[in-house]
Amino acid sequence: MLKVKTAVLVSGGGTNLQAVIDASQRGELPDAELSLVVSDRRGAFALQRAEKAGIRTEYIGRDGFEQKLSALLDECGIELIVLAGFLKILSADFTEKRPGRIINIHPSLIPSFCGEGYYGLRVHEQALKYGVKVTGATVHYVNHIPDGGKIIYQKAVDILDGDTPETLQRRVMEQAEWILLPKAVEKVAKEIRYGKSY
Ligand code: GRF
């Protein structure tokens, strides 16, 4: 059986994409083939990371985004979609057509600090404001509820005295996101390839 053709959707700097690319280049993703990177932001640095790694990149603007995305995914034979710092909320119509085929990395321990409006630095600002002592990251399946799908992996990260949203975001990325996402891509790709129910 062929490797699972995988697309990564991005909006920003692409550090999570880079973690997946690096893991793939280290041979840690034997069941996934990184075939496509799509951004909804023309200038996303994540696109440059993909180009450097020799992965096809596409920018899709707001008008008819999901329709164009669906057509592109079909054209490329994509079987697994990874949201990595992707800021658009995909419609129920789009996600429900692809059960178990879309995964997302969120920078908190869901169900804390997630859902509508919780993304990027704002997640860490809210964790610090609440005064939690532990946060972390979650990889989950994507359904029509923002950050609502079945959890795949989680990893806890301590909050330290003097943490700012920026220092906390960096630690959560380094100690959780960049570790969990490649692991989840391989786990789900393997399940798709060999038919294990997810
Ligand atoms: C980060 O806050 C990450 O936690 C979230 O999206 C933001 C940008 O990630 N998933 P990236 O550097 O573009 O991967």
Side-chain angles (χ1 to χ4, degrees):
M1 275 177 229
L2 294 175
K3 290 188 175 200
V4 174
K5 290 187 181 304
T6 302
V8 184
L9 307 191
V10 297
S11 298
T15 65
N16 279 286
L17 166 67
Q18 192 64 59
V20 174
I21 289 169
D22 294 348
S24 181
Q25 290 175 348
R26 289 194 302 265
E28 295 168 10
L29 307 184
D31 295 302
E33 177 192 312
L34 301 181
S35 307
L36 175 67
V37 171
V38 181
S39 178
D40 61 333
R41 308 279 176 91
R42 195 186 291 279
F45 186 65
L47 292 174
Q48 293 182 45
R49 294 180 189 268
E51 282 156 18
K52 193 158 169 256
I55 302 169
R56 176 178 174 179
T57 61
E58 297 291 344
Y59 158 73
I60 302 179
R62 194 193 1 252
D63 296 343
F65 179 85
E66 287 193 4
Q67 191 189 354
K68 291 172 184 168
L69 176 63
S70 292
L72 180 59
L73 295 172
D74 292 348
E75 177 204 327
C76 297
I78 300 299
E79 300 170 274
L80 175 56
I81 300 165
V82 180
L83 310 187
F86 183 66
L87 297 179
K88 232 177 169 42
I89 299 293
L90 294 166
S91 70
D93 183 50
F94 184 93
T95 57
E96 298 310 304
K97 275 186 190 141
R98 298 168 173 85
R101 297 304 179 98
I102 310 174
I103 66 175
N104 179 54
I105 176 86
H106 181 75
S108 76
L109 296 176
I110 288 174
S112 298
F113 310 113
C114 68
E116 199 80 39
Y118 281 96
Y119 56 87
L121 268 185
R122 181 163 156 66
V123 174
H124 305 294
E125 287 164 359
Q126 293 303 308
L128 290 170
K129 187 174 166 200
Y130 194 99
V132 294
K133 300 303 178 191
V134 174
T135 185
T138 304
V139 185
H140 62 94
Y141 287 103
V142 173
N143 61 16
H144 62 288
I145 303 162
D147 301 325
K150 182 181 169 203
I151 289 172
I152 302 167
Y153 288 132
Q154 292 191 303
K155 191 168 187 303
V157 175
D158 288 336
I159 290 181
L160 304 179
D161 290 346
D163 260 335
T164 64
E166 289 75 11
T167 60
L168 181 55
Q169 178 178 57
R170 182 79 197 179
R171 189 178 319 113
V172 169
M173 282 176 158
E174 286 172 348
Q175 296 184 7
E177 296 180 47
W178 298 345
I179 293 167
L180 290 185
L181 191 56
K183 261 182 75 176
V185 169
E186 173 50 26
K187 173 182 171 27
V188 177
K190 196 171 184 177
E191 289 172 357
I192 291 170
R193 190 176 192 185
Y194 299 110
K196 180 172 172 290
S197 66
Y198 54 86

